[in-house]
Amino acid sequence: MSGWYSVCMLFEAEVDDQSLEEPLREESIRLVKAADIGAARMAAESLGAELEHAYSGPDGETVRWVFRGIVELQDLCESEIVSGTEVFSRMFKKGQLDR
């Protein structure tokens, strides 16, 4: 039986194929449906690679968004996604949210 998983993915911008000292980063939370957590991780890795893309910036430079990895993967414990379904949560104490 398949279930839904929430995956928090990390992407990072590179300009002209060079890593920046302080790169712009993006966390993207996506849903994947899979038979188990291992299959969900494989699906998320594949999705991350598919979402990489490049474009020309305003000064003609090549900007490339690179998938850096999975930040967190959660089993949603739901067989069906409906309006109001929680897709991501994080528990923390005050001051612990910074990464």
Side-chain angles (χ1 to χ4, degrees), residues 13-20 61-64:
E14 291 181 352
V15 177
D16 288 330
D17 290 327
Q18 296 182 8
S19 294
L20 304 172
E61 74 280 19
T62 300
V63 179
R64 179 172 162 80

Side-chain angles (χ1 to χ4, degrees), residues 2-99:
S2 293
W4 287 98
Y5 295 82
S6 171
V7 58
C8 181
M9 308 166 85
L10 179 64
F11 294 87
E12 194 171 272
E14 291 181 352
V15 177
D16 288 330
D17 290 327
Q18 296 182 8
S19 294
L20 304 172
E21 187 174 320
E22 289 292 325
L24 184 60
R25 293 184 174 138
E26 177 188 17
E27 281 187 344
S28 178
I29 298 172
R30 304 286 180 134
L31 297 177
V32 295
K33 192 168 192 172
D36 56 42
I37 194 123
R41 181 170 298 283
M42 289 176 55
E45 293 281 352
S46 178
L47 178 60
E50 289 173 25
L51 292 171
E52 290 186 338
H53 64 283
Y55 57 89
S56 292
D59 297 323
E61 74 280 19
T62 300
V63 179
R64 179 172 162 80
W65 282 94
V66 180
F67 175 59
R68 294 297 187 207
I70 295 170
V71 175
E72 191 163 349
L73 182 63
Q74 294 182 4
D75 183 344
L76 298 182
C77 301
E78 301 287 345
S79 59
E80 184 179 347
I81 300 297
V82 296
S83 180
T85 300
E86 181 178 76
V87 296
F88 188 82
S89 68
R90 184 180 331 188
M91 293 183 193
F92 60 94
K93 293 183 179 181
K94 186 176 179 178
Q96 290 181 328
L97 189 56
D98 296 335
R99 291 187 193 197

